[in-house]
Coordinates of all heavy atoms in Angstrom, one line a residue:
M220 N 13.0 22.2 -13.6 CA 11.7 21.6 -14.1 C 11.7 20.1 -13.8 O 12.6 19.4 -14.1 CB 11.6 21.9 -15.6 CG 10.4 21.4 -16.2 SD 10.3 21.9 -17.9 CE 8.8 21.2 -18.3
E221 N 10.6 19.7 -13.2 CA 10.5 18.3 -12.8 C 10.0 17.5 -14.0 O 9.0 17.9 -14.6 CB 9.5 18.2 -11.6 CG 9.4 16.8 -11.1 CD 8.5 16.7 -9.9 OE1 8.2 17.8 -9.3 OE2 8.1 15.6 -9.6
K222 N 10.6 16.3 -14.2 CA 10.1 15.4 -15.2 C 8.9 14.7 -14.7 O 8.8 14.4 -13.5 CB 11.2 14.5 -15.7 CG 12.4 15.1 -16.4 CD 13.4 14.1 -16.8 CE 14.2 13.7 -15.6 NZ 15.3 12.7 -16.0
K223 N 8.0 14.4 -15.6 CA 6.8 13.7 -15.2 C 7.0 12.4 -14.6 O 6.3 12.0 -13.7 CB 5.8 13.6 -16.4 CG 4.5 13.0 -16.1 CD 3.6 13.0 -17.3 CE 2.2 12.5 -16.9 NZ 1.3 12.5 -18.1
F224 N 8.0 11.6 -15.1 CA 8.2 10.3 -14.6 C 9.5 10.1 -13.8 O 10.1 9.0 -13.8 CB 8.1 9.3 -15.8 CG 6.8 9.3 -16.5 CD1 6.6 9.9 -17.7 CD2 5.7 8.7 -15.9 CE1 5.4 9.9 -18.3 CE2 4.5 8.7 -16.5 CZ 4.3 9.3 -17.7
D225 N 9.9 11.1 -13.1 CA 11.1 11.0 -12.3 C 10.7 10.3 -11.0 O 10.3 10.9 -10.0 CB 11.7 12.4 -12.0 CG 13.0 12.3 -11.4 OD1 13.5 11.2 -11.1 OD2 13.6 13.4 -11.2
L226 N 10.8 9.0 -11.0 CA 10.3 8.2 -9.9 C 11.0 8.5 -8.6 O 10.4 8.5 -7.5 CB 10.4 6.7 -10.2 CG 9.4 6.2 -11.2 CD1 9.7 4.7 -11.5 CD2 8.0 6.3 -10.6
E227 N 12.3 8.7 -8.6 CA 13.1 8.9 -7.4 C 12.5 10.2 -6.7 O 12.2 10.1 -5.5 CB 14.6 9.1 -7.7 CG 15.4 9.3 -6.4 CD 16.9 9.3 -6.7 OE1 17.3 9.4 -7.9 OE2 17.6 9.3 -5.8
D228 N 12.3 11.3 -7.4 CA 11.8 12.5 -6.8 C 10.3 12.2 -6.3 O 10.0 12.7 -5.2 CB 11.8 13.6 -7.7 CG 13.2 14.2 -8.0 OD1 14.1 13.9 -7.2 OD2 13.4 14.8 -9.0
R229 N 9.6 11.5 -7.0 CA 8.2 11.2 -6.6 C 8.1 10.3 -5.4 O 7.3 10.6 -4.5 CB 7.4 10.6 -7.8 CG 7.2 11.6 -8.9 CD 6.6 10.9 -10.1 NE 5.3 10.4 -9.8 CZ 4.6 9.6 -10.6 NH1 5.2 9.1 -11.7 NH2 3.4 9.2 -10.3
F230 N 9.0 9.4 -5.3 CA 9.1 8.5 -4.1 C 9.5 9.3 -2.8 O 8.9 9.2 -1.7 CB 10.0 7.3 -4.2 CG 9.5 6.2 -5.0 CD1 10.2 5.6 -6.0 CD2 8.2 5.7 -4.7 CE1 9.6 4.5 -6.7 CE2 7.7 4.6 -5.3 CZ 8.4 4.0 -6.3
V231 N 10.5 10.2 -3.0 CA 10.9 11.1 -1.9 C 9.8 12.0 -1.5 O 9.5 12.2 -0.3 CB 12.2 11.8 -2.3 CG1 12.5 12.9 -1.2 CG2 13.3 10.9 -2.4
D232 N 9.1 12.6 -2.4 CA 7.9 13.5 -2.1 C 6.9 12.7 -1.4 O 6.2 13.2 -0.4 CB 7.4 14.1 -3.4 CG 8.2 15.2 -4.0 OD1 9.2 15.7 -3.3 OD2 8.0 15.5 -5.1
F233 N 6.6 11.5 -1.8 CA 5.6 10.6 -1.2 C 6.0 10.4 0.3 O 5.1 10.5 1.2 CB 5.4 9.3 -1.9 CG 4.5 8.3 -1.3 CD1 3.1 8.6 -1.3 CD2 5.0 7.2 -0.6 CE1 2.2 7.7 -0.6 CE2 4.1 6.4 0.0 CZ 2.7 6.6 0.0
A234 N 7.2 10.0 0.5 CA 7.7 9.7 1.9 C 7.6 11.0 2.7 O 7.1 10.9 3.9 CB 9.1 9.2 1.8
A235 N 7.9 12.1 2.2 CA 7.7 13.4 3.0 C 6.3 13.7 3.3 O 5.9 14.1 4.4 CB 8.4 14.5 2.2
N236 N 5.4 13.4 2.3 CA 4.0 13.6 2.6 C 3.4 12.6 3.6 O 2.5 13.0 4.4 CB 3.2 13.5 1.3 CG 3.4 14.7 0.4 OD1 3.6 15.8 0.8 ND2 3.3 14.5 -0.9
V237 N 3.9 11.4 3.6 CA 3.5 10.5 4.6 C 3.9 11.0 6.0 O 3.2 10.9 7.0 CB 4.1 9.1 4.4 CG1 4.0 8.1 5.6 CG2 3.5 8.5 3.1
V238 N 5.1 11.5 6.1 CA 5.6 12.0 7.4 C 4.7 13.2 7.9 O 4.2 13.2 9.1 CB 7.1 12.6 7.3 CG1 7.4 13.4 8.6 CG2 8.0 11.4 7.1
L239 N 4.3 14.1 7.0 CA 3.4 15.2 7.4 C 2.1 14.7 7.8 O 1.4 15.2 8.7 CB 3.3 16.2 6.2 CG 4.6 16.9 5.9 CD1 4.4 17.8 4.7 CD2 5.1 17.7 7.1
F240 N 1.6 13.6 7.1 CA 0.3 13.1 7.4 C 0.3 12.4 8.8 O -0.6 12.6 9.6 CB -0.1 12.0 6.3 CG -1.4 11.3 6.6 CD1 -2.6 11.9 6.4 CD2 -1.4 10.0 7.2 CE1 -3.8 11.2 6.7 CE2 -2.5 9.4 7.5 CZ -3.7 9.9 7.2
C241 N 1.4 11.7 9.0 CA 1.5 11.0 10.3 C 1.6 11.9 11.5 O 1.1 11.6 12.6 CB 2.6 10.0 10.3 SG 2.4 8.6 9.2
K242 N 2.1 13.1 11.3 CA 2.2 14.1 12.4 C 0.8 14.5 12.9 O 0.6 14.9 14.0 CB 3.0 15.3 11.9 CG 4.5 15.1 11.8 CD 5.2 16.3 11.3 CE 5.2 17.3 12.4 NZ 6.0 18.5 12.0
D243 N -0.2 14.4 12.0 CA -1.6 14.8 12.4 C -2.4 13.7 12.9 O -3.6 13.9 13.2 CB -2.3 15.4 11.1 CG -1.7 16.7 10.7 OD1 -1.1 17.4 11.6 OD2 -1.7 17.1 9.6
L244 N -1.9 12.5 13.0 CA -2.7 11.3 13.5 C -2.8 11.5 15.0 O -2.0 12.1 15.7 CB -1.9 10.0 13.2 CG -1.9 9.6 11.8 CD1 -1.1 8.3 11.6 CD2 -3.4 9.3 11.3
P245 N -3.9 11.0 15.6 CA -4.1 11.1 17.0 C -2.9 10.4 17.8 O -2.3 9.4 17.3 CB -5.4 10.3 17.3 CG -5.8 9.7 16.0 CD -4.9 10.2 14.9
S246 N -2.6 10.9 19.0 CA -1.5 10.3 19.7 C -1.9 9.2 20.7 O -1.2 8.8 21.6 CB -0.8 11.4 20.5 OG -1.8 12.0 21.4
D247 N -3.1 8.6 20.4 CA -3.5 7.4 21.2 C -2.8 6.1 20.6 O -2.0 6.2 19.7 CB -5.0 7.3 21.1 CG -5.6 7.0 19.7 OD1 -4.8 7.0 18.8 OD2 -6.8 6.9 19.6
L248 N -3.1 5.0 21.3 CA -2.5 3.8 20.9 C -2.7 3.4 19.4 O -1.7 3.0 18.7 CB -3.0 2.6 21.8 CG -2.3 1.3 21.6 CD1 -0.8 1.3 21.9 CD2 -3.0 0.2 22.5
T249 N -3.9 3.5 18.9 CA -4.2 3.2 17.5 C -3.4 4.1 16.6 O -2.8 3.6 15.6 CB -5.7 3.3 17.3 OG1 -6.4 2.5 18.2 CG2 -6.0 2.9 15.9
G250 N -3.4 5.4 16.8 CA -2.7 6.3 16.0 C -1.2 6.1 16.0 O -0.6 6.2 14.9
A251 N -0.7 5.8 17.1 CA 0.8 5.5 17.2 C 1.1 4.2 16.5 O 2.1 4.1 15.7 CB 1.2 5.4 18.7
Y252 N 0.3 3.2 16.6 CA 0.6 1.9 16.0 C 0.5 2.0 14.5 O 1.5 1.6 13.8 CB -0.4 0.8 16.5 CG -0.3 -0.5 15.8 CD1 0.7 -1.4 16.2 CD2 -1.1 -0.8 14.7 CE1 0.8 -2.6 15.6 CE2 -0.9 -2.1 14.1 CZ 0.0 -3.0 14.5 OH 0.2 -4.2 13.9
Y253 N -0.6 2.5 14.0 CA -0.7 2.6 12.5 C 0.2 3.7 11.9 O 0.7 3.6 10.8 CB -2.2 2.9 12.1 CG -3.0 1.6 12.3 CD1 -3.9 1.5 13.3 CD2 -2.7 0.5 11.5 CE1 -4.6 0.3 13.5 CE2 -3.4 -0.7 11.6 CZ -4.4 -0.7 12.6 OH -5.1 -1.9 12.8
G254 N 0.5 4.8 12.7 CA 1.4 5.8 12.3 C 2.8 5.3 12.1 O 3.4 5.6 11.1
N255 N 3.2 4.5 13.0 CA 4.6 3.9 12.9 C 4.7 3.0 11.7 O 5.7 3.0 11.0 CB 5.0 3.1 14.2 CG 5.3 4.1 15.3 OD1 5.7 5.2 15.1 ND2 5.1 3.6 16.5
Q256 N 3.6 2.2 11.5 CA 3.6 1.2 10.4 C 3.6 2.0 9.0 O 4.3 1.7 8.1 CB 2.4 0.3 10.4 CG 2.3 -0.6 9.3 CD 3.4 -1.6 9.2 OE1 4.0 -2.1 10.2 NE2 3.9 -1.9 7.9
L257 N 2.8 3.1 9.0 CA 2.8 3.9 7.8 C 4.1 4.6 7.5 O 4.5 4.7 6.4 CB 1.6 4.9 7.9 CG 1.3 5.8 6.7 CD1 1.0 4.9 5.5 CD2 0.2 6.7 7.0
L258 N 4.7 5.1 8.5 CA 6.0 5.7 8.4 C 7.1 4.8 7.8 O 7.8 5.1 6.9 CB 6.5 6.3 9.7 CG 6.0 7.6 10.2 CD1 6.4 7.9 11.6 CD2 6.4 8.7 9.2
R259 N 7.1 3.6 8.3 CA 8.1 2.6 7.9 C 7.8 2.2 6.4 O 8.7 2.2 5.6 CB 8.1 1.4 8.7 CG 8.7 1.6 10.1 CD 8.9 0.3 10.8 NE 7.7 -0.5 10.9 CZ 6.9 -0.5 12.0 NH1 7.3 0.1 13.1 NH2 5.8 -1.2 12.0
S260 N 6.6 1.9 6.1 CA 6.2 1.4 4.8 C 6.3 2.6 3.7 O 6.7 2.4 2.6 CB 4.9 0.7 4.7 OG 3.9 1.6 5.1
G261 N 5.9 3.8 4.1 CA 5.9 4.9 3.2 C 7.3 5.3 2.8 O 7.6 5.8 1.7
G262 N 8.3 5.2 3.7 CA 9.7 5.5 3.4 C 10.4 4.4 2.7 O 11.4 4.7 2.0
S263 N 10.0 3.2 2.9 CA 10.7 2.1 2.3 C 10.7 2.1 0.8 O 11.7 1.6 0.1 CB 10.2 0.7 2.8 OG 8.9 0.5 2.3
S264 N 9.6 2.6 0.2 CA 9.6 2.6 -1.3 C 10.7 3.4 -1.9 O 11.4 3.0 -2.9 CB 8.2 3.1 -1.8 OG 8.0 4.4 -1.3
A265 N 11.0 4.6 -1.3 CA 12.1 5.4 -1.8 C 13.4 4.7 -1.6 O 14.3 4.7 -2.5 CB 12.1 6.7 -1.1
L266 N 13.6 4.1 -0.5 CA 14.9 3.4 -0.2 C 15.1 2.2 -1.1 O 16.2 1.9 -1.6 CB 14.9 3.0 1.3 CG 14.9 4.1 2.3 CD1 14.8 3.6 3.7 CD2 16.1 5.0 2.1
N267 N 14.0 1.4 -1.3 CA 14.1 0.2 -2.2 C 14.4 0.7 -3.6 O 15.2 0.0 -4.3 CB 12.8 -0.6 -2.1 CG 12.7 -1.4 -0.9 OD1 13.6 -1.6 -0.1 ND2 11.4 -1.8 -0.6
F268 N 13.8 1.7 -4.1 CA 14.1 2.2 -5.4 C 15.5 2.7 -5.5 O 16.2 2.4 -6.5 CB 13.1 3.4 -5.8 CG 13.3 3.9 -7.2 CD1 12.8 3.1 -8.2 CD2 14.0 5.0 -7.4 CE1 13.0 3.6 -9.5 CE2 14.1 5.5 -8.7 CZ 13.6 4.7 -9.8
G269 N 16.0 3.3 -4.5 CA 17.4 3.8 -4.5 C 18.4 2.6 -4.6 O 19.4 2.6 -5.3
E270 N 18.1 1.5 -3.9 CA 18.9 0.3 -3.9 C 18.8 -0.3 -5.3 O 19.9 -0.8 -5.8 CB 18.4 -0.7 -2.9 CG 18.7 -0.4 -1.5 CD 20.2 -0.6 -1.2 OE1 20.8 -1.5 -1.7 OE2 20.8 0.2 -0.5
A271 N 17.7 -0.3 -5.9 CA 17.6 -0.9 -7.3 C 18.3 -0.1 -8.3 O 18.9 -0.6 -9.2 CB 16.1 -1.0 -7.7
Q272 N 18.4 1.2 -8.1 CA 19.1 2.1 -9.0 C 20.6 1.8 -9.0 O 21.3 2.1 -9.9 CB 18.9 3.6 -8.7 CG 17.5 4.0 -9.0 CD 17.1 3.9 -10.5 OE1 16.5 3.0 -10.9 NE2 17.5 4.9 -11.3
G273 N 21.1 1.3 -7.9 CA 22.6 1.1 -7.7 C 23.0 -0.3 -8.2 O 24.2 -0.6 -8.0
T274 N 22.2 -1.1 -8.8 CA 22.6 -2.4 -9.3 C 23.4 -2.3 -10.5 O 23.3 -1.4 -11.3 CB 21.3 -3.3 -9.5 OG1 20.5 -2.7 -10.5 CG2 20.6 -3.5 -8.2
H275 N 24.1 -3.4 -10.8 CA 25.0 -3.5 -12.0 C 24.5 -4.4 -13.1 O 24.9 -4.3 -14.2 CB 26.4 -3.9 -11.6 CG 27.0 -2.9 -10.7 ND1 27.5 -1.7 -11.1 CD2 27.3 -3.0 -9.3 CE1 28.0 -1.1 -10.0 NE2 27.9 -1.8 -9.0
T276 N 23.5 -5.3 -12.8 CA 23.0 -6.2 -13.8 C 21.5 -6.1 -13.8 O 20.8 -5.7 -12.9 CB 23.4 -7.7 -13.4 OG1 22.7 -8.1 -12.2 CG2 24.9 -7.9 -13.3
N277 N 20.9 -6.5 -14.9 CA 19.5 -6.5 -15.1 C 18.8 -7.5 -14.1 O 17.7 -7.2 -13.6 CB 19.1 -6.8 -16.5 CG 19.4 -5.7 -17.5 OD1 19.5 -4.6 -17.1 ND2 19.4 -6.1 -18.8
K278 N 19.4 -8.6 -13.9 CA 18.9 -9.6 -13.0 C 18.8 -9.0 -11.6 O 17.8 -9.2 -10.9 CB 19.7 -10.9 -13.1 CG 19.1 -12.0 -12.3 CD 19.9 -13.3 -12.5 CE 19.3 -14.4 -11.7 NZ 20.1 -15.7 -11.8
D279 N 19.9 -8.4 -11.2 CA 19.9 -7.8 -9.8 C 18.9 -6.7 -9.7 O 18.2 -6.5 -8.7 CB 21.3 -7.3 -9.5 CG 21.5 -7.0 -8.0 OD1 20.7 -7.6 -7.2 OD2 22.4 -6.3 -7.7
Y280 N 18.7 -5.9 -10.8 CA 17.8 -4.8 -10.8 C 16.3 -5.3 -10.6 O 15.6 -4.8 -9.8 CB 17.8 -3.9 -12.0 CG 16.8 -2.8 -12.1 CD1 17.0 -1.6 -11.5 CD2 15.6 -3.0 -12.7 CE1 16.1 -0.6 -11.5 CE2 14.6 -2.0 -12.8 CZ 14.9 -0.8 -12.1 OH 13.9 0.1 -12.1
I281 N 16.0 -6.4 -11.4 CA 14.7 -7.0 -11.3 C 14.4 -7.5 -9.9 O 13.4 -7.3 -9.3 CB 14.5 -8.1 -12.3 CG1 14.5 -7.4 -13.7 CG2 13.3 -8.9 -12.1 CD1 14.6 -8.4 -14.9
N282 N 15.5 -8.1 -9.3 CA 15.3 -8.7 -7.9 C 15.1 -7.5 -6.9 O 14.1 -7.6 -6.1 CB 16.6 -9.4 -7.6 CG 16.5 -10.0 -6.2 OD1 15.5 -10.7 -5.8 ND2 17.5 -9.8 -5.4
K283 N 15.8 -6.5 -7.0 CA 15.7 -5.4 -6.1 C 14.4 -4.6 -6.3 O 13.7 -4.2 -5.3 CB 16.8 -4.4 -6.2 CG 18.2 -5.0 -5.9 CD 18.5 -4.8 -4.4 CE 20.0 -5.2 -4.2 NZ 20.3 -5.3 -2.9
A284 N 14.0 -4.4 -7.5 CA 12.8 -3.7 -7.8 C 11.5 -4.4 -7.5 O 10.5 -3.8 -7.4 CB 12.8 -3.3 -9.3
S285 N 11.6 -5.7 -7.4 CA 10.4 -6.5 -7.1 C 10.2 -6.7 -5.6 O 9.2 -7.4 -5.2 CB 10.5 -7.9 -7.8 OG 11.5 -8.6 -7.3
I286 N 11.0 -6.2 -4.8 CA 10.8 -6.3 -3.3 C 9.6 -5.5 -2.9 O 9.5 -4.3 -3.2 CB 12.0 -5.8 -2.5 CG1 13.2 -6.7 -2.9 CG2 11.8 -5.7 -1.0 CD1 14.5 -6.1 -2.3
P287 N 8.6 -6.1 -2.3 CA 7.3 -5.4 -1.9 C 7.5 -4.4 -0.8 O 8.4 -4.5 0.0 CB 6.4 -6.5 -1.5 CG 7.2 -7.7 -1.3 CD 8.5 -7.5 -1.9

């Protein structure tokens, strides 16, 4: 059973949905450019959250969690 506020799972699901969305973008220059940008930014939230979860101090957590 999935918890409503399980952010890690939600970020991973979001990244997977971004990948599926990008597969349907047109293969022209515009689709490739924005698709690549969307893939990078869509996956970074899950990775940044994972980095924040691995911190040992509150100050370090705040620093990692505030990365845009």
Side-chain angles (χ1 to χ4, degrees):
M220 180 174 181
E221 184 177 345
K222 293 183 283 184
K223 184 176 181 180
F224 296 107
D225 191 357
L226 285 177
E227 185 173 8
D228 290 341
R229 291 173 65 194
F230 278 134
V231 171
D232 288 344
F233 175 74
N236 286 331
V237 167
V238 170
L239 294 175
F240 175 80
C241 289
K242 287 177 72 173
D243 292 334
L244 289 175
S246 58
D247 61 1
L248 182 62
T249 303
Y252 177 81
Y253 287 110
N255 287 333
Q256 178 63 37
L257 185 57
L258 279 172
R259 287 191 307 259
S260 61
S263 69
S264 58
L266 297 173
N267 287 342
F268 184 76
E270 285 289 322
Q272 292 297 99
T274 60
H275 297 289
T276 65
N277 287 340
K278 187 175 180 180
D279 195 22
Y280 177 83
I281 291 169
N282 180 50
K283 298 267 187 193
S285 65
I286 296 173

